[in-house]
Structures are given as structure tokens and as C-alpha cells.
Amino acid sequence: MGEAFVTDRRRPILTLEGDTSPGSHDMLIAACDPARYEGLGVPGHASCAGNLESALAEMGLSIATVPQPVNVFMRIPVEESGRLRWLAAESRAGDAVTFEAAMDCVVVVSACPQDLAGINGDGPTPMAIDVL
């Protein structure tokens, strides 16, 4: 705990304060986007990049480039060969991750909408968010 996430200028923006999950999280996989689903033959499918852009637009904000995510609860192990595996999350209902903002920031959360591969097990599930 206490690990800081920093801006591109090395200023702390968020600090990991707590994690009651089995601890599998990912920072290797980019946010899914409309092009990903077009490539899978499902144009118009919901995506994390699209969810981010929509949430920001609701606040009157926009971005030139979608930042890459902290994929909380995603289990993407790296095999000895260097290949990434996309496995269903080990987290359970009630597991929680707590971040503390170290500066004013906008945090957008997207429940992974991937329902075409096994990464979400039987499919996306609801998520609760508390802002304190």
C-alpha cells in the first residue's frame, strides 16, 4: 500500500491506500476502443475508451488522446514466453480498492464492457463506487 500513481511530470496524482482483493490488477493492456470491436466484427460495441470520452463530454471536457488505464481487478499474467494471458478476474463481490487523490483530478471508471472473450467470466458485473 502507499504506492503513488504519478503524472507524466512525476507529480503524485493518486495513492493506493487499500486493496481487499486477491491483488490481480493490470497496467499492460490498453483501453479497449471502437477499433478493437470493429476488428472483432462488432462495430458500435461499448468500449472503455468510448465510456471515458462520453463521461468527459458530460462534464464539458474532452481529450486529444485517451490515457491508458489502471485495469483494477483484471488478471493479465505474463507467461515465460512473454505472451500475455487474458484470464477471468479473481475478485469477488465486495472486494475493494481504495485510492486517495493527491491533487485535484478527474477519475473516470469504466466497468469493462468486454463480453466477447472470457476476461469477464460469465459477463460484466455491477460495480459500486464511493467518493469520500
Side-chain angles (χ1 to χ4, degrees), residues 46-73:
S47 69
C48 287
N51 290 347
L52 170 69
E53 291 169 332
S54 294
L56 292 175
E58 287 179 20
M59 296 186 300
L61 302 171
S62 64
I63 51 175
T65 304
V66 172
Q68 293 315 307
V70 175
N71 294 310
V72 176
F73 304 132

